[in-house]
Amino acid sequence: MEENTNEGYDSTKKKTDSTAENFEKEAKSTTNEFKEGWNQATNSGDNKKLMAGILAIVLGSLGIHKFILGYNKEGIILLVATLIGYATSCLGVGVFILMATGIVGLIEGIIYLTKSDEEFYNTYQVGQKPWF
């Protein structure tokens, strides 16, 4: 009769531990790459220009482009004006408010996108010019 000398030993355990360690390392590496890419995308002036310009044209009345550039007070003003416009649109006055906030966003988006990167950075990020 043969005696089992490998009692309590699981030959697959080492293989699964190694796979788990590899998976963990790969997940951490991927996470770090994602963080670096996100930081690079959100911290550069060019990307803020493009993101703010497109958001101003598409969702300008909501003021999202103002929040992107760090102008929270101006973003809240546009958002509140839009909400008031929606609330009073049945009276007719709200339609004009909605049109005005939409036009402001459209004009700002066009201005953002037509400026050079350096001019945009100096005007809106360094100079902190909140309107037009």
Side-chain angles (χ1 to χ4, degrees):
M1 193 183 232
E2 267 183 52
E3 187 176 317
N4 188 355
T5 57
N6 294 330
E7 242 178 80
Y9 177 75
D10 186 358
S11 63
T12 61
K13 185 173 182 173
K14 186 170 184 166
K15 196 181 274 188
T16 56
D17 286 347
S18 175
T19 304
E21 287 173 10
N22 288 340
F23 181 76
E24 183 179 356
K25 286 178 186 177
E26 189 173 328
K28 285 181 182 180
S29 173
T30 304
T31 302
N32 288 335
E33 288 175 16
F34 178 76
K35 283 181 186 177
E36 289 173 17
W38 175 257
N39 290 336
Q40 199 174 33
T42 57
N43 290 335
S44 81
D46 181 40
N47 286 325
K48 278 193 177 184
K49 172 188 158 185
L50 185 61
M51 193 180 332
I54 291 171
L55 286 173
I57 291 171
V58 176
L59 300 171
S61 63
L62 297 176
I64 295 172
H65 60 289
K66 296 292 189 184
F67 292 110
I68 294 290
L69 294 173
Y71 304 130
N72 294 332
K73 181 174 69 172
E74 290 79 5
I76 291 171
I77 289 170
L78 279 174
L79 184 60
V80 168
T82 300
L83 293 175
I84 290 171
Y86 278 121
T88 60
S89 63
C90 61
L91 302 175
V93 179
V95 174
F96 293 111
I97 295 172
L98 290 172
M99 286 175 46
T101 56
I103 290 170
V104 166
L106 178 66
I107 291 170
E108 286 186 330
I110 292 169
I111 290 171
Y112 292 168
L113 294 174
T114 56
K115 287 189 178 286
S116 69
D117 293 345
E118 184 178 334
E119 191 178 8
F120 176 84
Y121 180 77
N122 288 331
T123 304
Y124 297 106
Q125 292 183 272
V126 174
Q128 295 291 307
K129 182 179 176 188
W131 297 104
F132 297 99

